[in-house]
Structures are given as C-alpha cells and as structure tokens.
Amino acid sequence: MTNLVNRLFQSILKTQSQRHLPQVPLLARLNSATRSYSSIDAEQRKGYKGHDMLAPFTAGWQTTEQEPLVIERSEGCYVYDVNGKKYLDALAGLWCTVLGGSEPRLVAAAAAQLNTLPFYHSFWNRTTKPSLDLAKELLEIFTARKMAKVFFTNGGSDANDTQVKLAWYYNNALGRPEKKKFIARDKSYHGSTLIAASLSGLPALHQQFDLPAQFVLHTDCPHYWRFHLPGETEEEFSTRLANNLENLILKEGPETIAAFIAEPVMGAGGVILPPETYFEKIQAVLKKYDILFVADEVICGFGRLGTMFGCEKYGIKPDLVTVAKALSSAYLPIAAVFVSPEISDVIYSQSNKLGSFSHGFTYSGHPVSCAVAIETLKIFKDRNILEQVNKISPKFQDGLKAFSDSPIIGEIRGTGLVLGTEFSDNKSPNDPFPPEWGIGTYFGSRCVEHGMFVRVSGDCVAMSPPFIITPEHVDEMIQIYGKALKDTEERVKQLKSQQTK
C-alpha cells in the first residue's frame, strides 16, 4: 500500500505540474485515491472505474481515475459498501435519512401504496388521498405561524424554484410587476437547479453555468466567528448585517425587491448559526419594506435543531416555507412549499381570472412518496423523536466540541444534531491552511478509513447524524472523529516541516 500511495503521489504531482491545476488540491486527490484503493478489491476496481454516470458534485478525474465507493445496503445508523465494510453515517445520507436505513414501517408504507395506487397526478382538480392527508398534517404541525396551503414538489431545488415563481405571480397579481428581485446570503445553499443555484451563495454553483441570474442579490453571511469586527458583540454584528441589508434594499429600490430567503441554520455553507438577535433584526427590515420572507427548512425541518422547525427556534414568521429531506427520511423524493393565507388568497384570485394556476410537476404529491411521508410523521410522533433529539444532542455537541482545543481547529459550532468543524491555522479565521493541502479532505478521508462518513466542504466538515442515534453511536462518532483528528494533526505537522526545508 505504501508503494502504491507513493506512486500515486508522484503521478499526481507530475500531472498537476504539467497541467497547472490549482483548483484540484494535490493532497485532496491523493487522500481520495488512497481511500478508494483501500476500500475496493481489484475485481470491483475493474468493474466500476470509469462508470457511465455523470455523477453529481464529482470531478471528472474522480470518475476516470478512481473507483467509486459503492454503497450496497443500510441498517439503522450504518451503511455498508459492496465489500461489506461498515460505516457510521454521521451525515444521514445528505442530511436526510433521519430514521436511519431499512426502517420497516416506511418500507411497508411504500409497498402498501404501490399495491393500491402506484401513481396518479394532482392536475385539474384530480388528486389522491395520501397527498390530501399529508398536506393537512403538515399545516397542523407547522406552528411558527398559520399557513394555508401546501404545494408538493420532488426536492428542495424545485421547491425553491417554485418559491420564486410564487413570489412573482403574487406581485404581478397585485400590480407590482417590478417587484421581482430576491435577496439571499453569501455561503447559503438553496439547491442546484437554475434558480435555486442562483439563490445559493456558493461560487462553485455559479462558475461556468452563467449564474447567478440577474434578479438575485446576495447579502452578508452571518458567520460571527469569521466576519465580526474586533470587539464587536454578536448583537452588534447582527445590527450591522441588518443595516447592510437595508442599505442594499434602498440601493436597489424597495419596490424592486420581492423576497429574502434564508436557512434558519446554514447547512452546506458550513453549519453557520445565526448570531444573537439576527432574525429579529432582519425581519424588522423586511417588514418595513414589504418584502416576503422565505424560510428554507430543507435541512433544519422536522427536528434537526431540537424543534420541529428552525422557524420556531429562532422566532421566524415566514410568508413561505420550503421543506424536504427529513419529510420522508429520504426514502422517496418529496418536498413541499407552505404558503401563507395572504399569498394563497391572491394566487386563488389571480388563477380564477386566468383560468388556471399553471404550475406543477408530474410527480407533485406522488401518492407513494406522500404515503411514506405520512408514515414518517407518524413515527416522529410515536417515538417522540423531538424528545430523543433533545436528549442525545448535548452528548453529541459536548463530546465533539471537546476537541476545540486542537491547534488545527478554528471553530466547532452546532446545535441539536448538526455540527460543523472549521480547520484553520493558529485558531484564527484569518489564517486558513493553504488550499492545496486539502486539510478538510484529508480529515474526511481518515474518517472514511476509520469507518465514518462526514461532509467535507473545503476546510469545513459537517455532521448531521440520524435522529435515532444512541449514546453508543455518539461514543463511536467521538472515537472516530478523535482518530481522524489525530491523523490530520500529524499531517499538518508534516506539511509544515516540509515548508521550512
């Protein structure tokens, strides 16, 4: 294995020198390659390398040069690859398999609906009972404010695309055709379709896609640790960001701004919690200028933060809400938009004039997806999932935050069952490690080697385990995290020593 790694290192070094590829950290490629070869046997390398998928969020070299890690089955908080290797899924898939793998009640709900009515649409005032029942249940459990209607989509991206169309339809109906711009935040993530990627504040989603669209504006990321001024308190930081938002609105013209969209806790951008009084101050600005608030609860919704929705935790009174992921524990694709009475009344009135509300998808309210979502919500109630999250989350948060003293960790932040680790030199937001070192990627690869999945984004690592984790699972997470951190600390020492030679 050592000789193989050395050959890979020399090959990658030569390739990057020849091709001038600074955008692909050398060590990140080495670390990823090392993981792949240790996990997959020779026969499977022959079978999967260079496969036929255009894989999402994957570089071409990874498909052509590496063997993919192929997951075959799941059980509880664990997934297993085709070799039978077991991994603790500390990301719950992609923040979503909150009830873990192979939950028999969800499998049974899907099978029962497939045997009864595998598909029917919801166009032209035709629909199915599961879609009607799920809409009713969702309106009952969302208590941050009264919502009136639910519109079903297939995932968070097309749900957030729908949010933009609803805001435009609403303002057109009110005779305000110029009120069309959306304000999102730097480092936010709202999806990867054309509009949702435009809303997202992550440059990688825009590069070479001719995005963001011109109607999208971005305001400050509310990351206190990284962006606060010397001596500035969290509340003062929030005041400054609210003032910046108001200045942006005034610069563009309030009559042109339709909505502001935000995650209660930013997920893919790095698990960024709102600073004190942030949403209170932001909502005051939006109300002042008659701007809609769209709450993106795709990651936060259904208990991740210790409340059923992030809006409850942070006092958000939204006009529109997006939910997905945990809605079906990701067993089947489904997402939903909650619409306030004020907006739905206008939509009904306008659609009556036009003859139809001409928006929807073939699979809007798919009966099998809805049946699984209904059973998911029942399980949340039957098993007191919120109580479980609040009972286990202190052990999860405290156990991992105990590593905060590591010299390569700048900040560990989180709430409920979501946590982010940001690596930096000298524990400072102003001293990042050289990107070509791929520190976050190295840590993630060591987690995989030790049997745990996390999410890596640059030098930030996120964890969002299933809601069903036990104290024993948390102990295992802490143990593997500690091993990977020790490995990564040694790697940083090696790289620093090479710098001084």
Side-chain angles (χ1 to χ4, degrees):
M1 175 60 68
T2 301
N3 290 335
L4 174 61
V5 170
N6 287 335
R7 291 199 304 272
L8 284 168
F9 183 89
Q10 295 300 325
S11 174
I12 295 170
L13 178 62
K14 181 178 179 182
T15 300
Q16 286 203 322
S17 174
Q18 291 173 343
R19 298 180 186 173
H20 307 287
L21 297 175
Q23 71 275 23
V24 181
L26 180 150
L27 289 175
R29 295 181 74 170
L30 173 63
N31 299 334
S32 185
T34 304
R35 188 277 304 156
S36 286
Y37 278 89
S38 65
S39 300
I40 307 292
D41 64 27
E43 183 176 347
Q44 287 166 336
R45 285 200 298 273
K46 182 179 178 182
Y48 294 116
K49 185 177 175 181
H51 58 74
D52 299 320
M53 283 202 309
L54 180 60
F57 289 90
T58 303
W61 66 267
Q62 291 175 290
T63 298
T64 57
E65 298 176 18
Q66 290 187 7
E67 186 63 27
L69 200 165
V70 182
I71 301 302
E72 187 171 54
R73 67 184 182 91
S74 61
E75 182 180 339
C77 293
Y78 297 94
V79 295
Y80 298 79
D81 69 20
V82 289
N83 279 329
K85 182 174 178 179
K86 179 181 180 180
Y87 305 89
L88 180 58
D89 189 2
L91 187 60
L94 284 172
W95 326 79
C96 50
T97 50
V98 296
L99 295 177
S102 303
E103 166 54 55
R105 285 178 56 177
L106 298 186
V107 175
Q113 186 60 45
L114 283 166
N115 283 319
T116 304
L117 178 68
F119 173 75
Y120 201 74
H121 61 80
S122 290
F123 286 30
W124 315 314
N125 203 31
R126 303 172 190 172
T127 189
T128 67
K129 193 168 187 301
S131 60
L132 295 173
D133 291 345
L134 179 58
K136 184 176 187 297
E137 179 69 17
L138 288 171
L139 292 178
E140 289 176 355
I141 66 174
F142 187 81
T143 60
R145 64 150 295 176
K146 178 179 174 55
M147 304 304 273
K149 299 293 176 182
V150 175
F151 180 89
F152 290 115
T153 75
N154 308 309
S157 293
D158 55 6
N160 281 328
D161 280 22
T162 293
Q163 299 286 24
V164 172
K165 291 185 71 176
L166 291 180
W168 288 354
Y169 194 91
Y170 169 76
N171 280 309
N172 285 336
L174 293 179
R176 306 187 298 196
E178 73 287 349
K179 202 170 177 65
K180 297 295 172 59
K181 296 175 185 175
F182 264 63
I183 299 177
R185 302 179 296 174
D186 291 336
K187 298 196 76 172
S188 63
Y189 180 78
H190 299 292
S192 62
T193 51
L194 190 149
I195 290 179
S198 293
L199 296 171
S200 299
L202 299 171
L205 295 170
H206 303 157
Q207 292 167 356
Q208 300 299 307
F209 290 113
D210 295 338
L211 298 176
Q214 291 185 352
F215 69 86
V216 177
L217 310 168
H218 287 93
T219 191
D220 302 279
C221 170
H223 189 181
Y224 176 75
W225 175 74
R226 178 164 293 282
F227 296 117
H228 79 277
L229 301 176
E232 190 175 42
T233 67
E234 283 197 32
E235 184 165 355
E236 290 168 343
F237 177 64
S238 296
T239 298
R240 177 162 62 86
L241 266 57
N243 290 338
N244 290 348
L245 174 63
E246 183 167 20
N247 290 336
L248 175 61
I249 291 168
L250 291 173
K251 176 186 174 184
E252 297 292 326
E255 72 282 357
T256 72
I257 310 296
F260 171 87
I261 185 169
E263 306 154 89
V265 169
M266 299 173 80
V271 187
I272 298 168
L273 280 64
E276 292 179 13
T277 70
Y278 174 77
F279 280 118
E280 175 187 339
K281 290 177 165 62
I282 292 296
Q283 288 181 101
V285 172
L286 301 178
K287 185 175 181 180
K288 181 177 179 180
Y289 295 106
D290 192 17
I291 294 170
L292 302 176
F293 192 125
V294 181
D296 185 339
E297 292 263 14
V298 169
I299 288 175
C300 301
F302 303 104
R304 175 65 62 191
L305 309 184
T307 53
M308 185 55 75
F309 295 96
C311 288
E312 298 170 27
K313 187 177 184 74
Y314 296 112
I316 299 170
K317 308 293 184 186
D319 301 285
L320 296 156
V321 180
T322 302
V323 297
K325 294 191 184 292
L327 175 56
S328 67
S329 192
Y331 278 48
L332 283 170
I334 187 170
V337 169
F338 303 167
V339 185
S340 69
E342 297 82 2
I343 295 175
S344 63
D345 286 348
V346 171
I347 290 173
Y348 271 29
S349 175
Q350 183 73 345
S351 65
N352 288 340
K353 295 176 184 177
L354 298 177
S356 175
F357 173 61
S358 298
H359 176 65
F361 306 100
T362 300
Y363 303 123
S364 292
H366 191 290
V368 183
S369 296
C370 288
V372 171
I374 289 168
E375 190 64 22
T376 300
L377 298 181
K378 287 180 181 177
I379 292 174
F380 290 165
K381 290 180 180 179
D382 293 346
R383 298 182 187 169
N384 257 328
I385 287 295
L386 272 182
E387 181 179 330
Q388 156 73 1
V389 170
N390 286 308
K391 184 177 180 180
I392 198 70
S393 58
K395 180 178 177 69
F396 171 72
Q397 293 288 333
D398 295 343
L400 291 167
K401 287 177 180 176
F403 293 106
S404 295
D405 290 338
S406 168
I408 67 170
I409 290 179
E411 184 184 40
I412 300 179
R413 51 187 179 263
T415 186
L417 286 181
V418 63
L419 181 137
T421 299
E422 188 145 353
F423 296 104
S424 69
D425 205 4
N426 303 314
K427 306 191 74 65
S428 169
N430 300 315
D431 290 326
F433 290 111
E436 61 271 18
W437 287 9
I439 298 303
T441 300
Y442 184 80
F443 176 86
S445 72
R446 299 313 298 161
C447 285
V448 171
E449 192 67 25
H450 294 305
M452 182 171 76
F453 288 156
V454 297
R455 185 190 190 280
V456 177
S457 179
D459 280 346
C460 183
V461 172
M463 301 171 72
S464 65
F467 297 168
I468 61 170
I469 60 168
T470 64
E472 292 73 27
H473 291 133
V474 175
D475 287 338
E476 185 179 356
M477 284 182 207
I478 293 169
Q479 182 184 39
I480 294 175
Y481 183 105
K483 288 179 180 179
L485 181 60
K486 184 177 180 181
D487 295 343
T488 308
E489 288 174 345
E490 289 300 316
R491 172 64 75 178
V492 171
K493 287 180 183 178
Q494 294 172 8
L495 292 168
K496 285 188 172 183
S497 67
Q498 292 171 12
Q499 273 189 329
T500 59
K501 292 180 180 179

